[in-house]
C-alpha cells in the first residue's frame, strides 16, 4: 500500500498556494505521460486504420494548395515577386510548415472537445490531453517533413547541414501553435464562436506571412510582414530545410522565449479553468 | 481499519438554469479564479442560479457505505462530482484520505474502431493504471468480462452489454480507499449484475463507499448509512437505512388516479383504514389493512365481481387481492349504491410504496365495467431487506441424521 495521500477540495482559488500548485502541476505532468502516449496511439491508429491512403493525406492538401498557387502565379492572376527558391518549392514548403503550425494550434481544443464525456466523469490528469495533442502533432509533422524532403530531393533541392537544425524550427512551430491553441481553449469550450473565428483569422494571417507570397520589400505590407511573429518561424524553418541561411534568427529566438513563458502561464490558466468548464459542460 | 476516509463539511454548489448566463458566469468565475479570489464567498446566488447541492455534511470510515438517494435532479451526481474532484465546491470542504476510485462512467475513452484488447489499455490508462499494472491484470480483466473470444474484434461490433461488461471488468480492478458508484449497475444481464455486486462487496471491505442508486433493495442490502437528498438538501440522514428509505418512498408522488370503464359502475369513495382521501398510511410489516369502498352500480348489473391489484412503485403488479377461497369476490343483488369492506389480515410485502387498483367486472362476460388505477396508496414498513417482492414464511427445522433424506 502506498502512503496515504490526503486530498482536500475547497472553494479557494488554487493560486492561493502557488508552490503547492506548481508541485501538483509537475506531478500531474509526469503522471500523465503514459496516458498521453496511450491516447496518442489510440488516435493515430484509429485515424490511419480507417483510411485507404493513410498518411498520404498529410501531403495531399498542401500539394493541392501548391498546385493552385503555382497555377495562379504562372497564369499571372496574382503577381508574386521573386523568391530565392523556385516558386513551387517556396509555396510547397510554406504551406507544409503552415499546416504544421495549424495542426499544433487546433490540437488542444480538439482533444478537449473530443474528450468531453471523459472529462465530465473521470478524474485523470488533464495535462494528458495536451501532451497527447502535442505527440500527435509531432508524429504528423514528422511524416509531413519526411514526405516534404522526398519532394525536395526530387526537385533537386539539397538541404545540406542546415537540415540538422530543422527539428528546432519544427518544434518552434509546434510550440507557438500549442500556445495559441491553449490560449483559445478555455473560451473556446464555452463559446463555439471561437472555434469558428480562429481559422478565419489564421487564414488572413497566412497571407501576411511569407507562406505563398514572398517578403515584400517596402511599404506597409513590408512592416506588417516583419512584425508578424509567424514570419521568423516560417522563414527560419524553411531556410534550414532548403539549405539557405536564416535571416531572422534573432526575432526567431525572441518569439520562442516568449512562447515558452506564455506556455507555462497558459497551462496554469488551463488548470484553473478546467473545473469551471466541466461543471458547465454537463456530460 | 476504521479511520475516517471521507469528511464532507457544509458542502454547497450552485448551478445555473440558463445556458447563456451559465456561459457568462463561467467566464466570470474563471477570471476571479485567475486573480486568486475565493469563489462564492458571499454565498449569494446570481440571477437564474440555484443550489444544486446545499450544505451537505457527513463522514465515512473504511468499511462503511453511504447510500445517496433522491429523485432525479436532487443533486446526488453533482455531489459525487465534487467529491471526485471534477468540479469545485462553492462552499464547504471535502477531505479525502487515500486513493479515490469512481465507477461512474464505464468504458471511458473507448475508441470504436480499435479492438477490445487495445481499448483495455486505453481505458485502464484513463483510470490511472500503469502499463505494468495493466499487463499484470490483463488476464483477470478478460476472464471477468467473459468476452475472450471477441478480444480482437473492434469495439464498434460489440453489443452495448458487451461494452459495459468490458468497461466494468477494467474498472473493477481498481483498489481504491474511497469508491464512488453511480447507478452503473443498472445495465448488463442479470448474471453479470450479480457478479458486479459481488465484486462491490469485496471492494467494500477495504474502502469507504458512496453509492448512488434508485434501487432501494440494493441500498438496503449494502449501505450502512443513507442520506435522502431533495433539491440539493439533506432531508433525512440516518444510520437506520430503512428509515431513510421510508422517507424517500413517502415523498414519492403516486401516479394519477385514472378511471376507465363502460359507465356501468362508478367508484364513489375509497379509503384505507378510514384515513382521509390522499393520505398514505404506513402499514407496519406483517399488519393488515382495511379497504372501504363505495360503488354506484347501474341497474342492468345484478351481479358484479371485484378485484384489487397491488402495484409497487416500479409499476409492477405484485399481488392480486381475492377472497378467502382465492377466487374473485362476487357481489350479488346489487344495483344502486353499495359499500364494501375488504379486510386484509396480514401483509408481508417488501418495504416501499404501493398503489391499489380496483377492478369491477361482469362475472358472466368477464368484461371490465370499471377500473380505477392508483385508487389509493400505502407504504409498507421496513423489515429485513430483500430484493424480492414479498416474503413467504416457512417452518425450518433440522432433519435428524437417522432420517432418510428424500430429495
Amino acid at each position: 500500500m502506498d502512503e496515504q495521500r490526503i486530498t482536500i477540495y475547497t472553494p479557494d482559488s488554487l493560486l492561493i498556494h502557488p508552490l503547492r500548485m506548481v508541485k501538483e502541476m509537475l506531478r500531474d505532468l509526469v503522471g500523465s505521460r503514459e496516458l498521453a502516449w496511450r491516447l496518442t496511439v489510440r488516435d493515430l491508429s484509429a485515424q490511419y486504420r480507417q483510411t485507404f491512403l493513410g498518411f498520404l493525406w498529410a501531403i495531399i492538401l498542401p500539394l493541392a494548395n501548391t498546385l493552385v498557387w503555382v497555377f495562379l502565379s504562372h497564369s499571372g492572376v496574382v503577381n508574386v515577386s521573386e523568391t530565392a527558391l523556385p516558386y513551387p518549392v517556396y509555396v510547397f514548403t510554406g504551406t507544409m510548415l503552415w499546416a504544421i503550425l495549424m495542426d499544433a494550434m487546433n490540437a488542444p481544443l480538439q482533444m478537449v472537445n473530443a474528450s468531453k464525456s471523459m472529462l465530465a466523469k473521470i478524474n485523470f490528469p488533464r495535462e494528458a490531453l495536451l501532451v497527447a495533442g502535442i505527440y500527435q502533432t509531432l508524429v504528423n509533422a514528422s511524416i509531413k517533413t519526411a514526405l516534404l524532403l522526398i519532394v525536395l530531393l526530387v526537385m533537386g533541392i539539397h538541404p545540406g547541414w542546415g537540415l540538422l537544425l530543422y527539428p528546432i524550427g519544427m518544434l518552434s512551430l509546434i510550440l507557438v501553435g500549442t500556445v495559441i491553441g491553449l490560449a483559445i481553449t478555455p473560451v473556446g469550450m464555452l463559446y463555439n464562436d471561437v472555434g469558428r473565428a480562429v481559422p478565419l483569422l489564421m487564414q488572413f494571417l497566412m497571407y501576411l506571412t511569407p507562406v505563398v507570397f514572398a517578403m515584400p520589400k517596402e511599404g506597409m505590407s513590408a512592416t506588417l510582414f516583419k512584425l508578424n511573429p509567424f514570419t521568423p518561424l516560417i522563414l527560419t524553418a524553411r531556410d534550414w530545410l532548403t539549405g539557405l541561411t536564416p535571416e531572422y534568427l534573432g526575432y526567431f529566438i525572441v518569439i520562442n522565449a516568449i512562447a515558452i513563458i506564455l506556455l507555462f502561464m497558459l497551462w496554469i490558466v488551463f488548470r484553473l479553468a478546467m473545473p469551471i468548464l466541466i461543471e458547465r459542460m454537463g456530460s | 481499519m476504521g479511520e475516517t476516509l471521507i469528511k464532507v463539511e457544509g458542502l454547497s454548489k450552485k448551478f445555473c438554469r440558463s445556458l447563456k448566463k451559465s456561459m457568462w458566469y463561467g467566464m466570470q468565475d474563471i477570471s476571479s479564479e485567475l486573480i486568486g479570489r475565493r469563489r462564492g464567498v458571499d454565498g449569494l446566488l446570481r440571477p437564474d442560479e440555484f443550489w444544486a447541492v446545499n450544505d451537505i455534511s457527513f463522514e465515512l470510515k473504511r468499511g462503511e457505505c453511504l447510500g445517496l438517494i433522491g429523485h432525479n435532479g436532487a443533486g446526488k451526481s453533482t455531489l459525487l462530482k465534487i467529491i471526485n474532484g471534477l468540479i469545485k465546491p462553492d462552499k464547504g470542504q471535502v477531505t479525502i484520505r487515500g486513493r479515490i476510485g469512481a465507477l461512474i462512467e464505464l468504458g471511458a475513452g473507448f475508441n470504436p474502431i480499435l479492438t477490445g484488447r487495445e481499448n483495455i489499455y486505453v481505458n485502464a490508462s484513463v483510470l490511472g493504471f500503469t502499463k505494468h499494472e495493466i499487463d499484470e491484470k490483463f488476464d483477470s480483466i478478460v476472464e471477468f468480462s467473459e468476452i475472450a473470444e471477441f478480444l480482437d474484434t473492434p469495439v464498434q461490433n460489440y453489443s452495448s452489454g458487451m461494452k459495459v461488461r468490458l468497461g466494468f471488468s477494467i474498472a473493477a480492478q481498481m483498489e481504491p480507499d474511497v469508491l464512488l458508484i453511480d447507478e452503473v449497475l443498472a445495465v448488463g444481464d442479470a448474471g453479470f449484475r450479480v457478479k458486479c455486486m459481488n465484486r462491490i462487496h469485496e471492494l467494500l471491505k477495504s474502502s469507504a463507499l458512496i453509492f448512488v442508486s434508485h434501487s432501494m433493495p440494493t441500498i438496503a442490502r449494502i449501505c450502512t448509512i443513507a442520506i435522502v437528498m431533495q433539491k440539493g438538501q439533506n432531508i433525512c440522514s440516518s444510520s437506520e437505512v430503512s428509515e431513510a428509505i421510508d422517507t424517500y418512498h413517502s415523498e414519492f408522488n403516486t401516479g394519477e388516479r385514472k378511471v376507465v370503464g363502460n359507465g356501468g359502475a362508478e367508484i364513489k369513495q375509497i379509503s384505507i383504514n378510514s384515513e382521509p382521501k390522499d393520505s398514505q398510511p404506513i402499514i407496519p410489516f406483517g399488519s393488515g389493512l382495511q379497504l372501504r369502498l363505495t360503488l354506484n352500480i347501474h341497474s342492468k348489473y345484478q351481479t358484479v365481481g371485484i378485484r384489487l391489484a397491488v402495484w409497487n412503485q416500479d409499476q409492477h403488479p405484485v399481488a392480486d387481492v381475492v377472497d378467502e377461497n382465492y377466487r374473485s369476490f362476487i357481489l350479488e343483488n346489487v344495483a344502486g349504491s353499495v359499500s364494501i369492506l375488504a379486510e386484509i389480515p396480514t401483509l408481508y410485502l417488501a418495504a416501499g410504496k404501493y398503489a391499489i387498483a380496483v377492478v369491477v367486472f361482469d362475472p358472466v362476460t368477464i368484461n371490465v365495467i370499471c377500473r380505477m388505477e392508483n385508487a389509493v396508496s400505502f407504504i409498507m414498513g421496513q423489515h429485513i431487506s430483500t430484493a424480492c417482492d414479498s416474503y413467504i414464511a416457512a417452518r425450518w427445522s433440522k432433519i435428524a441424521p437417522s432420517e432418510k433424506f428424500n430429495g
Side-chain angles (χ1 to χ4, degrees):
Chain A
M1 247 185 119
D2 54 353
E3 99 281 15
Q4 293 263 305
R5 196 160 104 192
I6 297 190
T7 321
I8 298 175
Y9 299 119
T10 66
D12 292 326
S13 166
L14 297 171
L15 283 176
I16 291 177
H17 310 285
L19 261 180
R20 188 158 83 196
M21 184 186 68
V22 172
K23 231 167 78 186
E24 280 174 8
M25 284 168 72
L26 295 177
R27 186 196 69 202
D28 281 353
L29 184 65
V30 172
S32 71
R33 278 175 321 168
E34 206 165 313
L35 174 57
W37 181 242
R38 273 289 149 220
L39 295 177
T40 308
V41 172
R42 175 195 72 176
D43 290 347
L44 286 175
S45 41
Q47 186 184 325
Y48 287 121
R49 204 167 290 179
Q50 233 187 358
T51 67
F52 178 66
L53 291 175
F55 58 80
L56 282 179
W57 279 110
I59 203 168
I60 289 174
L61 261 157
L63 204 61
N65 209 0
T66 307
L67 289 176
V68 169
W69 281 94
V70 168
F71 170 76
L72 288 180
S73 91
H74 202 72
S75 62
V77 176
V78 288
N79 200 3
V80 181
S81 52
E82 272 306 295
T83 51
L85 292 163
Y87 186 65
V89 176
Y90 186 87
V91 178
F92 191 53
T93 48
T95 43
M96 278 296 233
L97 294 172
W98 188 260
I100 293 174
L101 179 77
M102 288 295 99
D103 279 357
M105 197 190 86
N106 292 329
L109 190 56
Q110 207 178 314
M111 283 302 287
V112 171
N113 272 334
S115 315
K116 270 187 175 175
S117 75
M118 221 160 88
L119 282 167
K121 291 192 170 142
I122 298 181
N123 195 349
F124 60 96
R126 276 70 173 95
E127 280 76 8
L129 293 177
L130 302 179
V131 178
I134 294 174
Y135 281 166
Q136 283 176 49
T137 315
L138 264 175
V139 172
N140 286 328
S142 306
I143 294 172
K144 279 195 175 76
T145 305
L147 295 170
L148 182 58
L149 275 174
I150 294 170
V151 174
L152 286 180
L153 290 172
V154 169
M155 292 174 107
I157 307 281
H158 293 279
W161 292 109
L163 186 61
L164 292 178
L165 290 171
Y166 166 75
I168 301 176
M170 190 177 94
L171 289 177
S172 304
L173 284 169
I174 295 175
L175 169 68
V176 172
T178 305
V179 166
I180 301 172
L182 203 50
I184 59 174
T185 300
V187 186
M189 282 175 69
L190 280 181
Y191 293 93
N192 286 339
D193 311 51
V194 175
R196 291 169 198 269
V198 169
L200 208 69
L201 186 71
M202 292 310 287
Q203 185 76 26
F204 173 69
L205 274 174
M206 187 181 93
Y207 295 118
L208 291 179
T209 314
V211 174
V212 293
F213 295 126
M215 282 294 278
K217 299 278 183 297
E218 56 208 8
M220 235 260 291
S221 58
T223 324
L224 281 177
F225 266 66
K226 282 213 178 88
L227 286 176
N228 181 353
F230 301 119
T231 300
L233 296 175
I234 295 287
L235 284 184
T236 311
R238 183 196 273 136
D239 289 343
W240 277 330
L241 201 56
T242 52
L244 299 174
T245 316
E247 281 174 66
Y248 294 88
L249 212 49
Y251 194 20
F252 175 81
I253 292 167
V254 171
I255 293 290
N256 275 298
I258 295 175
I260 288 172
I261 296 167
L262 278 178
L263 183 69
F264 188 72
M265 288 167 57
L266 289 169
W267 178 15
I268 297 176
V269 174
F270 175 79
R271 269 185 83 94
L272 296 184
M274 228 31 183
I276 298 169
L277 296 172
I278 287 169
E279 76 180 62
R280 272 147 231 284
M281 224 155 57
S283 42
Chain B
M1 294 299 263
E3 78 266 51
T4 300
L5 295 182
I6 315 173
K7 194 168 174 189
V8 171
E9 298 155 277
L11 206 65
S12 300
K13 178 80 203 166
K14 42 191 180 184
F15 271 167
C16 183
R17 284 188 195 92
S18 135
L19 175 69
K20 279 267 148 65
K21 283 212 180 79
S22 170
M23 284 153 65
W24 178 238
Y25 294 154
M27 295 301 293
Q28 289 179 345
D29 287 348
I30 292 174
S31 322
S32 58
E33 184 85 22
L34 287 178
I35 56 172
R37 220 169 54 191
R38 194 190 160 99
R39 8 181 317 132
V41 67
D42 48 5
L44 294 179
L45 294 175
R46 293 170 283 193
D48 266 343
E49 280 189 327
F50 63 97
W51 292 106
V53 172
N54 198 347
D55 198 22
I56 300 284
S57 304
F58 62 86
E59 273 184 38
L60 216 54
K61 294 186 172 64
R62 197 185 294 280
E64 286 183 326
C65 174
L66 168 72
L68 275 182
I69 48 188
H71 299 301
N72 294 330
K76 306 171 304 260
S77 298
T78 309
L79 183 56
L80 277 199
K81 279 188 182 181
I82 301 173
I83 296 170
N84 198 8
L86 297 172
I87 59 181
K88 287 180 70 171
D90 283 312
K91 276 195 256 174
Q93 180 170 325
V94 183
T95 313
I96 293 164
R97 189 182 287 273
R99 292 193 296 177
I100 312 173
L103 277 176
I104 290 179
E105 167 94 327
L106 295 179
F110 275 5
N111 186 309
I113 314 239
L114 303 186
T115 64
R117 184 188 303 276
E118 289 166 307
N119 274 311
I120 288 179
Y121 277 89
V122 174
N123 177 248
S125 298
V126 173
L127 295 177
F129 292 103
T130 62
K131 166 125 189 351
H132 179 72
E133 284 173 318
I134 306 171
D135 287 335
E136 231 173 46
K137 297 181 176 188
F138 193 85
D139 290 336
S140 33
I141 292 174
V142 175
E143 195 195 343
F144 195 96
S145 69
E146 300 168 18
I147 54 160
E149 52 188 315
F150 302 106
L151 209 51
D152 293 304
T153 310
V155 165
Q156 62 186 357
N157 298 348
Y158 282 25
S159 70
S160 53
M162 284 161 72
K163 269 182 242 175
V164 167
R165 269 167 183 263
L166 189 59
F168 187 90
S169 310
I170 301 166
Q173 301 298 318
M174 291 191 288
E175 283 157 2
D177 297 298
V178 171
L179 180 61
L180 314 175
I181 301 184
D182 191 353
E183 290 280 53
V184 279
L185 304 168
V187 283
D189 53 38
F192 194 69
R193 279 211 295 271
V194 170
K195 239 172 132 174
C196 295
M197 281 316 296
N198 289 344
R199 177 68 191 145
I200 289 170
H201 267 289
E202 262 171 55
L203 288 171
L204 179 58
K205 286 177 203 148
S206 60
S207 64
L209 178 62
I210 301 184
F211 189 72
V212 170
S213 177
H214 289 293
S215 156
M216 292 308 126
T218 316
I219 293 272
R221 201 161 55 210
I222 70 174
C223 295
T224 52
I225 329 169
I227 289 183
V228 185
M229 285 180 80
Q230 189 189 45
K231 291 182 180 157
Q233 280 171 318
N234 174 352
I235 56 164
C236 170
S237 85
S238 174
S239 51
E240 288 294 323
V241 176
S242 54
E243 200 178 300
I245 293 178
D246 284 343
T247 308
Y248 170 74
H249 284 319
S250 65
E251 59 156 329
F252 233 108
N253 290 324
T254 15
E256 285 199 10
R257 212 176 250 194
K258 206 166 66 190
V259 186
V260 288
N262 61 9
E266 197 185 352
I267 297 166
K268 298 299 276 185
Q269 266 182 330
I270 181 161
S271 72
I272 291 178
N273 295 350
S274 308
E275 300 260 359
K277 190 166 154 257
D278 284 320
S279 72
Q280 297 176 357
I282 296 175
I283 312 293
F285 180 77
S287 306
L289 61 80
Q290 299 184 328
L291 191 117
R292 287 179 173 77
L293 162 85
T294 307
L295 297 171
N296 242 352
I297 298 170
H298 193 272
S299 53
K300 68 179 168 185
Y301 296 107
Q302 291 301 308
T303 309
V304 294
I306 303 176
R307 272 160 91 163
L308 308 173
V310 181
W311 294 67
N312 69 11
Q313 64 226 350
D314 299 329
Q315 296 304 311
H316 191 76
V318 294
D320 197 341
V321 182
V322 287
D323 72 4
E324 283 163 311
N325 301 317
Y326 289 88
R327 296 187 184 283
S328 300
F329 172 65
I330 305 293
L331 194 59
E332 285 167 336
N333 298 326
V334 281
S337 182
V338 56
S339 289
I340 294 155
L341 170 67
E343 276 181 289
I344 301 171
T346 53
L347 272 172
Y348 298 106
L349 297 173
K353 180 152 178 176
Y354 293 89
I356 295 181
V358 182
V359 183
V360 181
F361 62 97
D362 182 339
V364 183
T365 59
I366 321 291
N367 286 340
V368 173
I369 303 168
C370 173
R371 178 187 181 93
M372 183 186 255
E373 309 270 2
N374 297 312
V376 271
S377 57
F378 65 92
I379 292 164
M380 190 80 219
Q382 286 281 344
H383 188 57
I384 58 163
S385 67
T386 178
C388 301
D389 285 336
S390 63
Y391 301 81
I392 296 174
R395 194 178 302 120
W396 299 70
S397 60
K398 202 170 164 189
I399 300 170
S402 57
E403 282 181 54
K404 186 121 169 88
F405 182 74
N406 307 309

